mmCIF file with all atom_site columns, all heavy atoms in Angstrom:
data_model
loop_
_atom_site.group_PDB
_atom_site.id
_atom_site.type_symbol
_atom_site.label_atom_id
_atom_site.label_alt_id
_atom_site.label_comp_id
_atom_site.label_asym_id
_atom_site.label_entity_id
_atom_site.label_seq_id
_atom_site.pdbx_PDB_ins_code
_atom_site.Cartn_x
_atom_site.Cartn_y
_atom_site.Cartn_z
_atom_site.occupancy
_atom_site.B_iso_or_equiv
_atom_site.pdbx_formal_charge
_atom_site.auth_seq_id
_atom_site.auth_comp_id
_atom_site.auth_asym_id
_atom_site.auth_atom_id
_atom_site.pdbx_PDB_model_num
ATOM 1  N N   . GLY Z 1 35 ? 5.445  -14.400 -3.330  1.00 0.00 ? 35 GLY Z N   1
ATOM 2  C CA  . GLY Z 1 35 ? 4.687  -15.614 -3.602  1.00 0.00 ? 35 GLY Z CA  1
ATOM 3  C C   . GLY Z 1 35 ? 4.524  -15.846 -5.090  1.00 0.00 ? 35 GLY Z C   1
ATOM 4  O O   . GLY Z 1 35 ? 5.091  -15.132 -5.921  1.00 0.00 ? 35 GLY Z O   1
ATOM 5  N N   . LYS Z 1 36 ? 3.721  -16.831 -5.421  1.00 0.00 ? 36 LYS Z N   1
ATOM 6  C CA  . LYS Z 1 36 ? 3.466  -17.150 -6.824  1.00 0.00 ? 36 LYS Z CA  1
ATOM 7  C C   . LYS Z 1 36 ? 2.555  -16.089 -7.434  1.00 0.00 ? 36 LYS Z C   1
ATOM 8  O O   . LYS Z 1 36 ? 1.985  -15.260 -6.733  1.00 0.00 ? 36 LYS Z O   1
ATOM 9  C CB  . LYS Z 1 36 ? 2.854  -18.534 -6.931  1.00 0.00 ? 36 LYS Z CB  1
ATOM 10 C CG  . LYS Z 1 36 ? 3.810  -19.600 -6.444  1.00 0.00 ? 36 LYS Z CG  1
ATOM 11 C CD  . LYS Z 1 36 ? 3.348  -20.965 -6.840  1.00 0.00 ? 36 LYS Z CD  1
ATOM 12 C CE  . LYS Z 1 36 ? 4.332  -21.970 -6.294  1.00 0.00 ? 36 LYS Z CE  1
ATOM 13 N NZ  . LYS Z 1 36 ? 4.880  -22.817 -7.278  1.00 0.00 ? 36 LYS Z NZ  1
ATOM 14 N N   . ALA Z 1 37 ? 2.413  -16.116 -8.744  1.00 0.00 ? 37 ALA Z N   1
ATOM 15 C CA  . ALA Z 1 37 ? 1.675  -15.074 -9.464  1.00 0.00 ? 37 ALA Z CA  1
ATOM 16 C C   . ALA Z 1 37 ? 0.254  -14.910 -8.947  1.00 0.00 ? 37 ALA Z C   1
ATOM 17 O O   . ALA Z 1 37 ? -0.232 -13.784 -8.799  1.00 0.00 ? 37 ALA Z O   1
ATOM 18 C CB  . ALA Z 1 37 ? 1.655  -15.392 -10.955 1.00 0.00 ? 37 ALA Z CB  1
ATOM 19 N N   . CYS Z 1 38 ? -0.415 -15.998 -8.657  1.00 0.00 ? 38 CYS Z N   1
ATOM 20 C CA  . CYS Z 1 38 ? -1.792 -15.935 -8.170  1.00 0.00 ? 38 CYS Z CA  1
ATOM 21 C C   . CYS Z 1 38 ? -1.860 -15.153 -6.853  1.00 0.00 ? 38 CYS Z C   1
ATOM 22 O O   . CYS Z 1 38 ? -2.731 -14.294 -6.668  1.00 0.00 ? 38 CYS Z O   1
ATOM 23 C CB  . CYS Z 1 38 ? -2.327 -17.352 -7.982  1.00 0.00 ? 38 CYS Z CB  1
ATOM 24 S SG  . CYS Z 1 38 ? -3.994 -17.421 -7.346  1.00 0.00 ? 38 CYS Z SG  1
ATOM 25 N N   . ALA Z 1 39 ? -0.940 -15.424 -5.943  1.00 0.00 ? 39 ALA Z N   1
ATOM 26 C CA  . ALA Z 1 39 ? -0.920 -14.737 -4.646  1.00 0.00 ? 39 ALA Z CA  1
ATOM 27 C C   . ALA Z 1 39 ? -0.554 -13.260 -4.816  1.00 0.00 ? 39 ALA Z C   1
ATOM 28 O O   . ALA Z 1 39 ? -1.136 -12.391 -4.161  1.00 0.00 ? 39 ALA Z O   1
ATOM 29 C CB  . ALA Z 1 39 ? 0.070  -15.421 -3.710  1.00 0.00 ? 39 ALA Z CB  1
ATOM 30 N N   . ARG Z 1 40 ? 0.395  -12.966 -5.691  1.00 0.00 ? 40 ARG Z N   1
ATOM 31 C CA  . ARG Z 1 40 ? 0.780  -11.566 -5.924  1.00 0.00 ? 40 ARG Z CA  1
ATOM 32 C C   . ARG Z 1 40 ? -0.375 -10.783 -6.526  1.00 0.00 ? 40 ARG Z C   1
ATOM 33 O O   . ARG Z 1 40 ? -0.645 -9.643  -6.128  1.00 0.00 ? 40 ARG Z O   1
ATOM 34 C CB  . ARG Z 1 40 ? 2.005  -11.497 -6.841  1.00 0.00 ? 40 ARG Z CB  1
ATOM 35 C CG  . ARG Z 1 40 ? 3.257  -12.061 -6.229  1.00 0.00 ? 40 ARG Z CG  1
ATOM 36 C CD  . ARG Z 1 40 ? 4.508  -11.707 -7.012  1.00 0.00 ? 40 ARG Z CD  1
ATOM 37 N NE  . ARG Z 1 40 ? 4.443  -11.976 -8.429  1.00 0.00 ? 40 ARG Z NE  1
ATOM 38 C CZ  . ARG Z 1 40 ? 4.917  -13.075 -9.017  1.00 0.00 ? 40 ARG Z CZ  1
ATOM 39 N NH1 . ARG Z 1 40 ? 5.460  -14.038 -8.289  1.00 0.00 ? 40 ARG Z NH1 1
ATOM 40 N NH2 . ARG Z 1 40 ? 4.853  -13.218 -10.317 1.00 0.00 ? 40 ARG Z NH2 1
ATOM 41 N N   . ASN Z 1 41 ? -1.077 -11.384 -7.470  1.00 0.00 ? 41 ASN Z N   1
ATOM 42 C CA  . ASN Z 1 41 ? -2.217 -10.705 -8.082  1.00 0.00 ? 41 ASN Z CA  1
ATOM 43 C C   . ASN Z 1 41 ? -3.335 -10.470 -7.071  1.00 0.00 ? 41 ASN Z C   1
ATOM 44 O O   . ASN Z 1 41 ? -3.982 -9.425  -7.076  1.00 0.00 ? 41 ASN Z O   1
ATOM 45 C CB  . ASN Z 1 41 ? -2.741 -11.494 -9.274  1.00 0.00 ? 41 ASN Z CB  1
ATOM 46 C CG  . ASN Z 1 41 ? -1.781 -11.461 -10.433 1.00 0.00 ? 41 ASN Z CG  1
ATOM 47 O OD1 . ASN Z 1 41 ? -0.999 -10.528 -10.572 1.00 0.00 ? 41 ASN Z OD1 1
ATOM 48 N ND2 . ASN Z 1 41 ? -1.827 -12.490 -11.269 1.00 0.00 ? 41 ASN Z ND2 1
ATOM 49 N N   . ARG Z 1 42 ? -3.561 -11.435 -6.195  1.00 0.00 ? 42 ARG Z N   1
ATOM 50 C CA  . ARG Z 1 42 ? -4.607 -11.295 -5.180  1.00 0.00 ? 42 ARG Z CA  1
ATOM 51 C C   . ARG Z 1 42 ? -4.291 -10.137 -4.232  1.00 0.00 ? 42 ARG Z C   1
ATOM 52 O O   . ARG Z 1 42 ? -5.162 -9.315  -3.934  1.00 0.00 ? 42 ARG Z O   1
ATOM 53 C CB  . ARG Z 1 42 ? -4.768 -12.604 -4.406  1.00 0.00 ? 42 ARG Z CB  1
ATOM 54 C CG  . ARG Z 1 42 ? -5.905 -12.557 -3.401  1.00 0.00 ? 42 ARG Z CG  1
ATOM 55 C CD  . ARG Z 1 42 ? -6.199 -13.903 -2.742  1.00 0.00 ? 42 ARG Z CD  1
ATOM 56 N NE  . ARG Z 1 42 ? -5.005 -14.612 -2.311  1.00 0.00 ? 42 ARG Z NE  1
ATOM 57 C CZ  . ARG Z 1 42 ? -4.557 -15.745 -2.853  1.00 0.00 ? 42 ARG Z CZ  1
ATOM 58 N NH1 . ARG Z 1 42 ? -5.193 -16.291 -3.863  1.00 0.00 ? 42 ARG Z NH1 1
ATOM 59 N NH2 . ARG Z 1 42 ? -3.470 -16.329 -2.388  1.00 0.00 ? 42 ARG Z NH2 1
#
Side-chain angles (χ1 to χ4, degrees):
K36 296 193 181 236
C38 178
R40 294 193 310 263
N41 290 334
R42 184 173 45 248

